[in-house]
């Protein structure tokens, strides 16, 4: 049980102290959308080690953590740099045997998180029948039967991260967090975790939250710490604020599989998040925002 | 007949499968699948119900690498997260058409997005299947598309089954509580179809100028080759105009059909055009 | 599978034709909030018989259906007229043995609906241990065990109504339905039912829906018919449009347990919904709306 | 000491149990419970996290029969439906304080909201328990309140167990995966507490002027009566002012303490005042 009370706002610099080495940490976002990248960078700066990262569809977040040797284990259903290729550091560390991993099926991971969030030790579903994955993880996937119809179903075990870190559009000091665009797995990760850290584009007063109550996907009673982190998903997107920074991602992908990644990580470590924003966003942030504005729907359907 | 590239024919062929029954979750931006759905929505299936990212009930959108996500939300009627989509679409048999690609695909309708080489010590660690392991069996129609029809991709048996269609024939699908519907493979050479558990894929059509034997030679699993193989319908001038001027003016679909250095340069050129369009509005 | 396509708008008069005698029908709303009362009245006018009504927390909706002899079975977790007493006609018909009934536990009914809506033949939960209800309904409640921990849990069987009728704030012709205030069990009833009928305060064009996407609790692909029914929850409330009509409810409660109920039902049968609104709302509808406006929060907390 | 009615003392006593840990779903408008939570929120527990109807994270509200629902939404941070509340609060052990009343209540912490007489052919068909069957066991604290302390209501064994606390002692609750916490009964005569499975309720306090023996005589189950029974704390002047002027100016709480014709007239008078206030804004 969590306390809904009190001002939960802390600075980003406090993040490292909230996530102990060895903790299991669910990271929100999906694809190139809305990963909590400011938090990822801060965990690297804080020198965290042996984290068990949990991601549904990870991308640069997981690869950067792997590159910076923050991970002790990786649970995922997908990690990819999409148009920019496979994730080089995740590949390298898994293929070399240095990064233990658990490959979930995507629905299995989400339903495992859901189970924990609703107080269940497991949930049944029509699972990945025929897949080779369940047999590899008997501690995660089992068979169960409907007590009424006898139908054979897949049971997936509850998945409880020690910490969930998600990035929201805005949040008040009580932790009431809102999303407008992609929230992906964020809410269900938060509901499952023992502790929840919300980074957000903007900390707002409660009345702003009350004016838009349908956007509150995560009420404050789940949340332990609120961190303001503008452009906190960069270089992934946060709709409707800014699009993915494909140019920074291309730059990352170009270095990630080479020796240059060492310098890339060292630079992240050596600079503050303010420095980071100044370095990569000066003269560019407004264009990343404009990419959202110019995105077009097409007329001629849904008439 | 307007000249066209094979990726455009693939888009029109996939689009032909898109109808107004059920709902399709597209997830992340995969240009060929997105283009096919948008084409269907602008032509024969205006009320196809689509979800992209967490935008549910999308309007059709213009494709771009950096703008597809934002555009998906602009005309959408609803917002959900991944879990609600899973429970309200995938697992409740509301799924219409699921289009996937994979590193390996076999004659049973299985995909491998996990590993080349041993699972625990892979030669190539692939990205993983996300929801595909469960979803490709749940949707009414499964479409697998491949830009490079090759026996390295279309293999006899995948090295690792990330997911599979599981039941294929209409009756076995019904008995398992699944919607009946085929597996359709659309490649740069041909269209393959499987709709019975105990029958191989058959060549439904070859693209213009392709010899069926070339398809057989480049497919790692057995194929049923009809005595008279039809030719895949070519894109119409109207379809090509929609694709080139409205749906995909930046040319994102073609990107996946390139390789090596050409691929990277092409991506840079698209992104440059996307950047300039946005920059012009703020400078 | 439903078709998301086409214009689904029909007049209220068509409702009777969409709900066959003997059908199981889940009615939305809860307490004195947002019951689909225009639909209830129309089913009475249409002379429907032997409906198996399903309600989570029913009130005047169930009592009026019982008074008009529309019901063949009642599944409920609660039916009450709250401040106005027990529901006289539900009491009378159950106590006299003429109305077969199934008493669900509240969570059991909602999770049974949820199970059906997500394609499961059952769902487990930490159930009503110690209650006498489950043993009465072995076809609904069973015991299951977690295949990982062995924990004993309650399994509740999927509940699939033939029809769900829910009342929304607004809806477009495609069936995309929005709520702002109390939606109660509406969305989960709709997801579970074979056919869904949405009555709404107002049918709007799609752009109105798109402007408020977070209020769309039920996307159109679930919906088979859309009916415009202003004041369609009256005499129960529809926030933010109007409060419960406590005066009409008091009037109902005063007659419901007496012979006067026969005339009350006859009058509903004999008038159209337009007639009904003219009769009970003329000179009053604006005050029912004003009751919403004057409702007050208190300062001094959540500062 | 300001003069007060017993329902006001009951409100302050229930309010004293409300803290800022966890979340409380109040559901429909039950005046005494609502008043208690609002009083707590305006005094010692400003951040008590409340849900009324489908309004989650409410601000405190003024009580009225016709306005409580609308008011609940006005200051709330979130909207959920019943099912999300169940899964996100009740079943996930986030529930704080659950206040219920029932037709019958017994010494095991069981409630009957189902039937007087045989279940299938009842003498009185009661309203049913809604979520109480599951919820009263899940919340950290269960409070049962009764305006008329009588052995007809506080019975030896309920005729039918709609729901029950199930596990009572802290250790047995922990072992069952439940939050430890007591059952507290607040009536017009006394406060009773039970916090061990194998011990009876004990009289925690009697209200001013009440003889403990009167409590025993009017209780159908065994009670542990301490040798020195404390007296229930009386409402403070500040609490009474908040209740009478801010929280419940229409006097909705008192309604449940009336019976017969007086009850109906009282309700009519409250509703008349509520109508006039609203009408004045539109006429």
């Amino acid at each position: 049980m969590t306390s809904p009370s009190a001002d939960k706002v802390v600075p980003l610099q406090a993040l490292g102290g909230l996530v102990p080495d060895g903790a299991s940490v669910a990271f929100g976002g999906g694809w190139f959308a809305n990963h909590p990248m400011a938090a990822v960078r801060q965990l690297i700066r804080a020198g965290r080690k042996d984290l068990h990262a949990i991601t549904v569809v990870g991308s640069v977040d997981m690869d950067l953590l792997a590159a910076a040797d923050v991970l002790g284990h990786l649970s995922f259903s997908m990690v990819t740099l999409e148009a920019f290729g496979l994730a080089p550091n995740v590949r390298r560390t898994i293929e070399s045997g240095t990064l233990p991993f658990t490959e979930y099926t995507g629905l299995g991971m989400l339903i495992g998180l859901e189970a924990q969030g609703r107080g269940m030790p497991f949930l049944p579903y029509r699972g990945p029948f025929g897949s080779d994955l369940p047999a590899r993880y008997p501690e995660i996937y089992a068979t169960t039967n409907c007590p009424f119809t006898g139908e054979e179903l897949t049971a997936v075990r509850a998945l409880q991260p020690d910490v969930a870190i998600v990035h929201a559009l805005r949040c008040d000091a009580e932790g009431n967090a809102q999303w407008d665009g992609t929230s992906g797995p964020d809410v269900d990760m938060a509901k499952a975790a023992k502790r929840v850290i919300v980074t957000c584009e903007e900390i707002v007063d409660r009345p702003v939250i009350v004016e838009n109550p349908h956007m509150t996907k995560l009420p404050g009673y789940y949340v332990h710490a609120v961190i303001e982190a503008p452009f906190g998903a960069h270089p992934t997107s946060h709709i409707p604020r800014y699009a993915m920074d494909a140019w920074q991602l291309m730059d990352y992908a170009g270095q990630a599989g080479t020796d240059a990644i060492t310098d890339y990580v060292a630079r992240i470590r050596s600079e503050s998040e303010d420095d980071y924003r100044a370095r990569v966003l000066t003269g560019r942030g407004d264009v990343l925002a404009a990419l959202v504005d110019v995105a077009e729907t097409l007329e001629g359907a849904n008439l | 007949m307007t000249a066209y590239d094979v990726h455009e024919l693939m888009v029109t062929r996939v689009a032909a499968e898109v109808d107004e029954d059920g709902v399709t979750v597209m997830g992340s931006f995969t240009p060929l699948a997105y283009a096919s759905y948008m084409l269907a929505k602008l032509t024969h299936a205006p009320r196809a119900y689509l979800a992209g990212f967490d935008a549910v009930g999308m309007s059709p959108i213009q494709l771009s690498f950096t703008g597809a996500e934002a555009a998906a939300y602009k005309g959408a009627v609803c917002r959900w997260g991944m879990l609600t989509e899973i429970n309200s679409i995938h697992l409740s048999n509301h799924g219409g058409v699921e289009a996937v690609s994979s590193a390996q695909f076999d004659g049973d309708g299985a995909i491998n997005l996990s590993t080349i080489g041993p699972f625990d010590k892979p030669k190539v660690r692939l990205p993983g299947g996300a929801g595909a392991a469960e979803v490709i069996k749940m949707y009414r129609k499964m479409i697998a598309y491949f830009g490079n029809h090759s026996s390295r991709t279309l293999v006899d048996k995948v090295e690792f089954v990330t997911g599979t269609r599981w039941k294929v024939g209409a009756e076995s699908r019904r008995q398992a509580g699944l919607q009946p519907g085929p597996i359709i493979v659309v490649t740069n050479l041909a269209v393959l179809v499987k709709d019975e558990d105990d029958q191989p894929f058959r060549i439904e059509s070859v693209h213009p100028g392709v010899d069926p034997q070339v398809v057989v030679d480049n497919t790692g699993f057995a194929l049923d080759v009809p005595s008279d193989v039809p030719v895949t319908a070519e894109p119409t001038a109207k379809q090509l105009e929609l694709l080139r001027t409205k749906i995909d003016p930046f040319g994102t679909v073609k990107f996946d059909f390139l390789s090596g250095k050409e691929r990277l340069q092409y991506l840079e050129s698209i992104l440059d055009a996307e950047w300039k369009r946005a920059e012009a509005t703020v400078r």
Side-chain angles (χ1 to χ4, degrees), chain A residues 31 77-79 95 103 105-106 108 125-127 131-132 180 182-184 237 283 286 292-293 295-296 298 303, chain B residues 28 47 54 60-62 69 73-74 79 82-83 86 114 119 121 125 127-130 134 137 161-162 271 283:
Chain A
W31 314 292
S77 79
M78 182 177 254
V79 178
E95 290 169 11
E103 181 178 0
T105 62
Y125 75 120
R126 293 204 174 114
S131 167
D132 287 340
D180 190 4
T182 302
S183 62
S237 66
D286 59 343
V292 174
D293 300 331
E296 290 184 19
L298 300 172
L303 299 177
Chain B
S28 69
R47 298 201 182 267
D54 293 331
I61 64 168
Q62 183 192 80
E69 184 195 7
Y73 290 103
K74 288 192 177 184
R79 301 280 190 276
M82 287 175 175
L83 181 68
I86 285 172
S114 297
F119 184 82
K121 182 78 175 171
R125 175 58 233 188
E134 291 99 347
K137 81 170 192 304
V161 180
T162 306
L271 293 178
R283 294 283 186 268

Side-chain angles (χ1 to χ4, degrees), chain B residues 102-112 116 146 149-160 201 218-222:
Chain B
S102 56
Q104 292 183 325
F105 175 88
D106 73 21
D108 293 331
I111 62 173
N112 177 13
I116 304 295
F146 303 95
H149 192 135
S150 150
S151 56
R152 290 174 53 200
T153 303
L154 304 176
V155 298
D156 182 33
K157 293 288 171 196
V158 295
E159 292 187 38
F160 186 90
F201 274 93
N218 284 282
T219 303
F221 48 82

Side-chain angles (χ1 to χ4, degrees), chain B residues 76-107:
Chain B
V77 296
C78 177
R79 301 280 190 276
W80 277 346
M82 287 175 175
L83 181 68
T84 307
E85 289 159 20
I86 285 172
N87 285 328
S88 304
I89 302 173
H90 302 331
L91 294 178
S92 49
N93 277 343
H94 286 290
V97 180
E98 165 77 357
V100 296
S101 202
S102 56
Q104 292 183 325
F105 175 88
D106 73 21

Side-chain angles (χ1 to χ4, degrees), chain A residues 190-241:
Chain A
K191 289 184 174 180
K194 291 179 196 156
R195 298 181 67 80
V196 177
I197 299 166
V198 175
T199 65
C200 60
E201 291 296 312
E202 189 180 4
I203 292 174
V204 297
D205 290 336
R206 179 182 168 97
V208 177
I209 301 293
V210 171
E211 275 168 33
N212 303 283
H214 296 274
M215 294 173 69
T216 305
K217 310 298 183 188
L218 187 68
Y221 70 85
Y222 284 107
V223 176
H224 298 79
V226 175
I227 294 172
E228 190 168 74
F231 276 95
H234 182 275
T236 63
S237 66
H238 189 88
I239 305 298
R241 291 295 179 94

Side-chain angles (χ1 to χ4, degrees), chain A:
Chain A
M1 192 185 51
T2 62
S3 167
S5 65
D7 185 337
K8 298 165 181 171
V9 177
V10 299
L12 181 63
Q13 291 86 333
L15 180 70
L18 300 174
V19 182
D21 287 350
S24 62
V25 184
F27 290 88
W31 314 292
F32 278 133
N34 202 32
H35 292 297
M37 293 301 300
V40 164
R41 288 184 286 270
Q42 193 62 35
L43 292 171
I44 292 171
R45 290 177 194 124
R48 288 286 73 78
K49 287 284 179 193
D50 293 326
L51 297 188
H52 176 170
I54 298 167
T55 182
V56 177
V57 182
S59 62
V60 63
D61 55 340
M62 292 302 115
D63 204 66
L64 186 55
L65 288 169
D69 199 21
V70 173
L71 301 184
H73 194 102
L74 177 62
S75 287
F76 67 101
S77 79
M78 182 177 254
V79 178
T80 171
L81 299 188
E82 301 189 16
F84 310 106
L86 297 174
N89 293 288
V90 169
R91 266 195 69 178
R92 175 179 55 77
T93 49
I94 287 182
E95 290 169 11
S96 67
T98 57
L99 179 60
F101 69 95
T102 303
E103 181 178 0
Y104 273 83
T105 62
L107 275 59
M109 176 176 276
L110 282 157
I111 294 172
L113 291 165
E114 182 196 11
Q116 179 64 41
R118 59 193 281 172
M120 274 292 92
F122 86 106
L123 277 175
Y125 75 120
R126 293 204 174 114
F129 306 132
S131 167
D132 287 340
L133 285 167
R136 295 209 155 249
Y137 303 108
E139 72 283 12
I140 298 172
Y141 293 93
T143 294
T144 190
N145 293 83
C146 174
F148 304 105
T149 65
E151 182 180 346
E152 188 172 298
L153 299 159
T154 300
V156 62
R157 190 174 198 148
L159 173 58
Q160 182 175 42
D162 294 325
V163 182
I165 306 180
V166 298
H167 186 68
L169 174 61
R170 53 183 170 236
C171 192
D172 65 13
E174 206 177 47
N176 298 297
Q178 301 192 326
W179 284 255
D180 190 4
T182 302
S183 62
D186 295 7
V187 174
D188 297 289
M189 285 177 165
K191 289 184 174 180
K194 291 179 196 156
R195 298 181 67 80
V196 177
I197 299 166
V198 175
T199 65
C200 60
E201 291 296 312
E202 189 180 4
I203 292 174
V204 297
D205 290 336
R206 179 182 168 97
V208 177
I209 301 293
V210 171
E211 275 168 33
N212 303 283
H214 296 274
M215 294 173 69
T216 305
K217 310 298 183 188
L218 187 68
Y221 70 85
Y222 284 107
V223 176
H224 298 79
V226 175
I227 294 172
E228 190 168 74
F231 276 95
H234 182 275
T236 63
S237 66
H238 189 88
I239 305 298
R241 291 295 179 94
Y242 46 89
M244 64 186 257
D245 188 341
W247 302 269
Q248 282 290 318
L249 288 165
M250 190 155 49
D251 182 54
Y252 176 82
Q255 299 179 52
T258 75
D259 291 345
I261 192 62
T262 309
D263 290 344
Y264 190 102
V265 170
R267 188 168 53 184
I268 297 281
R269 271 195 219 283
S270 69
E271 69 191 352
S272 71
E273 186 68 12
D274 284 347
D275 295 338
Y276 173 85
R277 282 197 301 271
R279 175 167 64 83
V280 302
L281 291 170
T282 302
R284 300 182 69 254
D286 59 343
V287 180
L288 296 179
L291 286 164
V292 174
D293 300 331
V294 301
E296 290 184 19
T297 58
L298 300 172
E299 294 171 15
N302 291 315
L303 299 177

